[in-house]
Amino acid sequence: MSQAEIDSMLYQNAELQKQVKADAAAYERELDALRAEYEQKLAAYENSNPKTPVTGFFVIVGSFKNQKLAENYASKIKSMGYEGNIIDGPADFKLVTSSTHASLKEALPSLKTARSVLVSKSWIYFK
């Protein structure tokens, strides 16, 4: 390998590292924006439903209309070392959780993990 090829690879590596840092910063900004949006929605929900307090924040990795499919998926999630509980969701959906938390702030790191390891479209459900 020539010195020019090595220099080119070093330059490409440096550029990729810059891009990774920029992407990480963008992700953190997006996460902060989502946190603020969720907190606003939660405050609005709690203000409009004072008799129905939030009981938990659930990181959802699957939703099913069919109970058996939900049970099968929950078993798979449990075998991977996650919670794998089934909770009732809106419109008679059965929601499979990867974790449950007392606050949104606690749930967000688990959401990040779920999106990177389990399902890229994982989401947080609260009730």
Side-chain angles (χ1 to χ4, degrees):
M1 187 175 283
S2 72
Q3 186 61 42
E5 291 172 319
I6 292 171
D7 291 343
S8 175
M9 289 177 72
L10 289 172
Y11 176 77
Q12 289 174 357
N13 184 43
E15 290 299 310
L16 287 172
Q17 287 179 359
K18 286 180 192 175
Q19 186 62 47
V20 166
K21 286 180 183 178
D23 290 348
Y27 179 81
E28 288 301 319
R29 286 191 301 275
E30 181 182 349
L31 190 59
D32 288 341
L34 284 173
R35 180 181 295 125
E37 180 184 345
Y38 279 130
E39 287 172 351
Q40 288 174 343
K41 288 181 179 182
L42 176 60
Y45 173 81
E46 288 177 334
N47 289 336
S48 65
N49 298 297
K51 294 182 181 180
T52 312
V54 173
T55 58
F57 293 82
F58 307 90
V59 178
I60 306 300
V61 293
S63 59
F64 302 87
K65 284 285 191 169
N66 182 295
Q67 179 70 30
K68 184 66 176 160
L69 292 175
E71 290 169 1
N72 291 344
Y73 192 66
S75 293
K76 177 181 175 183
I77 295 301
K78 284 180 185 177
S79 73
M80 297 172 72
Y82 295 91
E83 187 175 85
N85 288 336
I86 299 172
I87 61 171
D88 291 329
D92 295 324
F93 275 90
K94 305 301 178 199
L95 307 177
V96 178
T97 66
S98 65
S99 60
T100 301
H101 307 275
S103 71
L104 177 61
K105 189 173 185 175
E106 293 172 13
L108 288 173
S110 294
L111 175 63
K112 182 178 177 180
T113 300
R115 284 183 173 173
S116 66
V117 176
L118 298 172
V119 178
S120 64
K121 294 186 180 182
S122 299
W123 51 286
I124 294 175
Y125 177 69
F126 65 88
K127 66 177 192 170

